[in-house]
Amino acid sequence: RAEQARAESDESAALAELDRLTNKVRTRAAQLLEGTDGADGPSRQAAAARAESHEQLLETRASTASEQLGRFRGEAERLAPDDERPHHTELPDELVPADAEQAQTFLRTATGELASATAALDTARAAHSELLHA
């Protein structure tokens, strides 16, 4: 009788814990139990250990990302134009982007032009160096 009472108590505690879970969690748990990770006790323990390891990795990455975000925000505030000059530079009207997509297009174009100009500068410097040597 005592063993039965303990078993019933354990069952009611497990049911109460199950009731606290959302349907989404229950559905995912059922899917995991049907897979190879839920086949037996050792498989479940190994899967749980992998999940905990993955959780720690994600927490570390989230912490690192949060630190970087803080640094980037500080740098953005430091580099932002002041009240006297609302922009770093003035652009011709045809280069003022209407939206973020157009700004990305302008940025890609400018990056390509910078790469071409840098290559031309390197070529000119090499030619200049050869002429000086000659």
Side-chain angles (χ1 to χ4, degrees):
R1 287 181 184 169
E3 190 176 324
Q4 181 183 0
R6 255 192 320 275
E8 288 174 354
S9 174
D10 290 347
E11 178 188 22
S12 67
L15 285 173
E17 191 172 333
L18 181 63
D19 287 340
R20 285 194 298 269
L21 300 176
T22 65
N23 284 336
K24 183 178 179 180
V25 171
R26 288 184 204 172
T27 302
R28 183 65 180 137
Q31 290 171 347
L32 290 172
L33 284 173
E34 291 172 5
T36 57
D37 286 340
D40 56 15
S43 296
R44 286 190 293 272
Q45 288 177 339
R50 284 192 307 273
E52 287 178 14
S53 173
H54 191 65
E55 177 187 21
Q56 290 173 353
L57 175 67
L58 291 176
E59 286 177 352
T60 302
R61 286 182 180 174
S63 174
T64 301
S66 179
E67 290 172 10
Q68 283 182 328
L69 178 62
R71 283 195 304 272
F72 291 151
R73 282 185 175 156
E75 188 175 337
E77 288 177 13
R78 184 178 56 81
L79 296 174
D82 55 23
D83 291 337
E84 293 176 23
R85 291 183 345 164
H87 307 289
H88 288 291
T89 188
E90 295 298 322
L91 295 174
D93 289 339
E94 65 272 6
L95 292 180
V96 175
D99 56 19
E101 186 176 319
Q102 189 178 28
Q104 287 292 334
T105 302
F106 287 165
L107 180 60
R108 282 191 292 275
T109 301
T111 302
E113 290 174 2
L114 175 63
S116 296
T118 301
L121 176 63
D122 290 343
T123 302
R125 282 184 176 159
H128 180 256
S129 177
E130 287 178 22
L131 289 172
L132 287 176
H133 183 353

